Amino acid sequence: MSDNTKLKISNGLNEDKYSVKSKFVNFFLLAMFTLFPLFYTDYYYNIRHDKYYFFLVVTAVLVLMIGAVAITNSDSQSGTKDKAESVPWCKKLSFTDYAFGAFILVCTVSTVFSQDPADAFLGLSGRNNGLLLMIFYAVVYFLITRFFCFKNYVFVALAGCSIAIYLLDILNCFYIDPLGMFASLTDEQTITNFTSTIGNKNLMSSFICVVMPVTVAFSVISKNRNHRIVYHISSAFGYMALMTADSYSGILGLGTVFAVLLIWFSRSVARLKRFFLATTIMLLSGKILRLFSFFIGDKSKGISEFQSLLVYSKIIWAAIALFAIITAILFFADSKIPDKTLPLAVPIIIGSIFVACIIAMLFAVYYFSVIDTKTNIGFLKSFLRFNDSWGTHRGYMWIRSFYIFGDFSLYNKLFGCGPDTFATVFEPYFEGLKHYGDSSTNCAHNEYINYLITTGIFGLASYLSIIFGALKGAIKSASKNPIAIAFAVSVISYAVQAVVNLAQPITTPLFIIFIALCEAVARKQKTTE
């Protein structure tokens, strides 16, 4: 079987047992990776609801199709009975499975005993993140983890669709609107909020954080040259879209991913050369964006100061030259000594530097927020000085959220006020938001604080356990099955940007899918072993 159709980068996911149920799961993934991001009905007016209902419908269709196969027994395998069938069902469940079950149980209790169970069930006062959506997430998770089988076309299609999403975002930044999406918006809405077919600029950054890590990782680990070209193109457009999305959450998520991938690939010269090639291409794409901006007269919505440094600064040419030289050296070294493995000390040193940088950043935030609150630190104030105004007044919402949690009863501390009912308990602080130009909010703009308030300690703990369990299984499997790292970095990227972003039915379903894919690879690897 050719490299286009059979997975050769790993023996962990064989395609010889590609069942009907697996086909249905891959069709579902194909729909979520291509149609879902592009789908809308009335421009930006209903875009969240459009994607919410799209996800519910395609999930329901998947359940019906797999259910029909199970009822008719048309997917039975010939030959001897699988040894796993004799194992009790409870022993087949992983840590992540139990964590997901616990999360749904906590959300159910939180919904039933909330002030408005109907609101908590549907997420009417929030962003549709009620119990119903959580149940659908659990269904998708369990179906993917049980029936996923790797096929290249699914992820090549994801890369291809993402190029279209990224290109729309880039064009929209320069007021080029091929879909006519801006026609019904005010000038202020066009400039500050909406882009591509994703919606809010923060959600666009969230989409980039989910998809771009996958394409970068596959551009390194894929053995098919044509596929790698597609992944490189997607990553380059993703980098340009990240520059124009005008949101620091994307920089936070992708910055973490590049550090993780550098550490992960640092022992293999063959993979390290491809990683530096991918990085060089992306940095060059930023300069291509600058050239595009120049030819249309620099008329754009504007790019944040940090992104402007990466696009407009001449210093970046030095970085591009450095990465290009490193890439050339690595290609030369790999040609002379194929499959060369570097000492274990290399990733340890890189990882130590990364950890030291995180500690230094945290100390800087503490220093300029508590010790030195007067020194003018320019645009770094947005990052390093935490107060009510920090992060487009996220500081105000986070601090008041902890006030609310402190006033909660013991029950509410454990189970929260009900899924996606943050607005209900935050209403006393709406008046203070007017100082920042807002009259209300329905989320904390930090997923973890939001889950703490709405589902309590138990809900947040189970949610974090889902992420931890999926990442643990994927990283453990990645040494034998490299595609696991492509799924893991997507989860890492989303989880990091979620510190300053929000859960919603536009990009969070994709995050849940990659959590499921992490667990699916780990489950398959465990079965194989």
Side-chain angles (χ1 to χ4, degrees):
M1 188 175 292
S2 69
D3 195 42
N4 288 338
T5 56
K6 187 171 180 61
L7 176 63
K8 292 188 177 180
I9 58 175
S10 166
N11 292 323
L13 290 176
N14 296 320
E15 295 185 351
D16 55 344
K17 292 184 179 179
Y18 190 58
S19 65
V20 175
K21 294 174 185 175
S22 296
K23 289 181 181 178
F24 288 155
V25 166
N26 277 347
F27 291 157
F28 168 81
L29 293 176
L30 198 61
M32 289 299 298
F33 288 165
T34 57
L35 301 178
F36 175 74
L38 292 168
F39 181 72
Y40 67 93
T41 60
D42 189 17
Y43 304 105
Y44 291 116
Y45 288 115
N46 300 313
I47 200 160
R48 171 164 54 86
H49 293 94
D50 290 340
K51 297 192 189 299
Y52 171 68
Y53 291 120
F54 184 98
F55 173 70
L56 297 186
V57 170
V58 294
T59 301
V61 170
L62 175 63
V63 171
L64 291 175
M65 291 191 298
I66 290 182
V69 171
I71 292 172
T72 59
N73 200 31
S74 60
D75 200 29
S76 60
Q77 299 285 339
S78 59
T80 58
K81 185 178 181 180
D82 192 337
K83 292 181 181 179
E85 293 182 12
S86 61
V87 179
W89 68 269
C90 59
K91 292 185 177 182
K92 296 180 184 179
L93 299 178
S94 67
F95 172 85
T96 315
D97 294 341
Y98 280 113
F100 226 122
F103 180 65
I104 297 301
L105 179 61
V106 171
C107 287
T108 301
V109 173
S110 182
T111 298
V112 171
F113 294 100
S114 67
Q115 293 182 6
D116 189 344
D119 184 13
F121 182 74
L122 297 174
L124 297 175
S125 66
R127 298 174 187 256
N128 303 110
N129 292 303
L131 175 61
L132 177 63
L133 187 60
M134 302 302 113
I135 292 172
F136 271 73
Y137 285 161
V139 169
V140 165
Y141 167 82
F142 280 99
L143 291 180
I144 291 176
T145 53
R146 270 59 184 175
F147 303 119
F148 171 71
C149 186
F150 181 86
K151 284 290 185 180
N152 281 295
Y153 73 86
V154 174
F155 299 96
V156 173
L158 172 64
C161 176
S162 66
I163 292 172
I165 300 293
Y166 299 149
L167 181 58
L168 283 170
D169 175 73
I170 296 164
L171 294 175
N172 287 172
C173 179
F174 294 98
Y175 297 103
I176 301 172
D177 185 21
L179 298 182
M181 300 287 279
F182 293 166
S184 56
L185 300 178
T186 64
D187 290 340
E188 182 179 356
Q189 289 174 323
T190 301
I191 293 172
T192 60
N193 289 323
F194 299 102
T195 183
S196 192
T197 56
I198 300 299
N200 183 282
K201 62 184 181 182
N202 291 319
L203 304 188
M204 185 66 208
S205 285
S206 179
F207 176 83
I208 297 170
C209 283
V210 174
V211 177
M212 190 174 162
V214 181
T215 59
V216 173
F218 271 118
S219 72
V220 175
I221 64 178
S222 177
K223 289 190 174 182
N224 185 292
R225 185 175 62 180
N226 293 334
H227 292 173
R228 289 202 305 273
I229 291 173
V230 175
Y231 292 132
H232 278 307
I233 294 172
S234 176
S235 300
F237 274 97
Y239 182 84
M240 288 189 280
L242 184 64
M243 298 300 101
T244 58
D246 192 31
S247 176
Y248 289 129
S249 61
I251 298 293
L252 185 65
L254 268 299
T256 304
V257 162
F258 274 88
V260 171
L261 288 177
L262 176 60
I263 295 168
W264 187 261
F265 294 136
S266 61
R267 292 201 67 193
S268 170
V269 173
R271 288 179 178 167
L272 200 57
K273 71 178 185 182
R274 291 181 181 175
F275 173 75
F276 273 94
L277 175 62
T279 306
T280 304
I281 290 172
M282 282 183 279
L283 288 174
L284 275 171
S285 71
K287 289 302 180 181
I288 293 173
L289 181 64
R290 172 67 187 100
L291 188 63
F292 178 78
S293 175
F294 173 78
F295 278 117
I296 67 168
D298 289 329
K299 181 184 178 182
S300 71
K301 296 181 182 180
I303 300 176
S304 297
E305 289 183 76
F306 186 80
Q307 284 93 324
S308 294
L309 177 67
L310 297 173
V311 174
Y312 296 104
S313 174
K314 294 180 180 179
I315 298 175
I316 298 301
W317 282 115
I320 294 172
L322 176 61
F323 276 88
I325 292 171
I326 294 173
T327 303
I329 293 172
L330 290 170
F331 267 87
F332 178 77
D334 189 51
S335 67
K336 294 297 182 181
I337 312 175
D339 302 320
K340 173 68 176 177
T341 300
L342 298 178
L344 183 61
V346 174
I348 292 175
I349 292 172
I350 296 174
S352 299
I353 294 173
F354 179 50
V355 171
C357 290
I358 294 176
I359 294 173
M361 287 179 61
L362 292 176
F363 176 77
V365 172
Y366 171 78
Y367 180 83
F368 288 111
S369 301
V370 178
I371 300 174
D372 181 359
T373 60
K374 302 297 183 182
T375 300
N376 184 3
I377 52 178
F379 79 94
L380 290 176
K381 178 181 178 181
S382 302
F383 302 96
L384 302 181
R385 183 160 286 151
F386 184 81
N387 50 33
D388 282 357
S389 301
W390 185 90
T392 321
H393 58 275
R394 281 171 171 78
Y396 177 87
M397 292 182 277
W398 295 3
I399 293 169
R400 273 65 184 178
S401 294
F402 285 112
Y403 291 166
I404 292 169
F405 182 78
D407 292 336
F408 269 169
S409 65
L410 177 61
Y411 165 79
N412 287 129
K413 281 185 170 68
L414 296 178
F415 290 97
C417 59
D420 211 14
T421 58
F422 180 86
T424 303
V425 294
F426 200 82
E427 188 173 359
Y429 296 102
F430 283 176
E431 186 67 27
L433 283 175
K434 293 180 180 179
H435 176 71
Y436 303 100
D438 290 337
S439 58
S440 65
T441 184
N442 54 20
C443 65
H445 289 76
N446 176 312
E447 284 196 25
Y448 309 107
I449 294 176
N450 211 78
Y451 279 121
L452 178 66
I453 298 299
T454 58
T455 62
I457 294 173
F458 287 160
L460 176 60
S462 55
Y463 181 71
L464 291 174
S465 296
I466 293 169
I467 298 173
F468 171 79
L471 288 176
K472 180 184 177 181
I475 293 171
K476 186 178 179 180
S477 304
S479 59
K480 296 181 179 179
N481 191 351
I483 65 170
I485 197 63
F487 302 151
V489 289
S490 174
V491 173
I492 292 171
S493 180
Y494 180 95
V496 170
Q497 66 85 43
V499 173
V500 293
N501 223 329
L502 55 142
Q504 23 60 40
I506 297 177
T507 63
T508 306
L510 299 175
F511 168 64
I512 297 298
I513 285 173
F514 280 104
I515 280 183
L517 291 173
C518 284
E519 184 67 19
V521 173
R523 185 181 180 87
K524 193 72 159 188
Q525 188 65 42
K526 185 177 180 180
T527 302
T528 302
E529 292 174 352

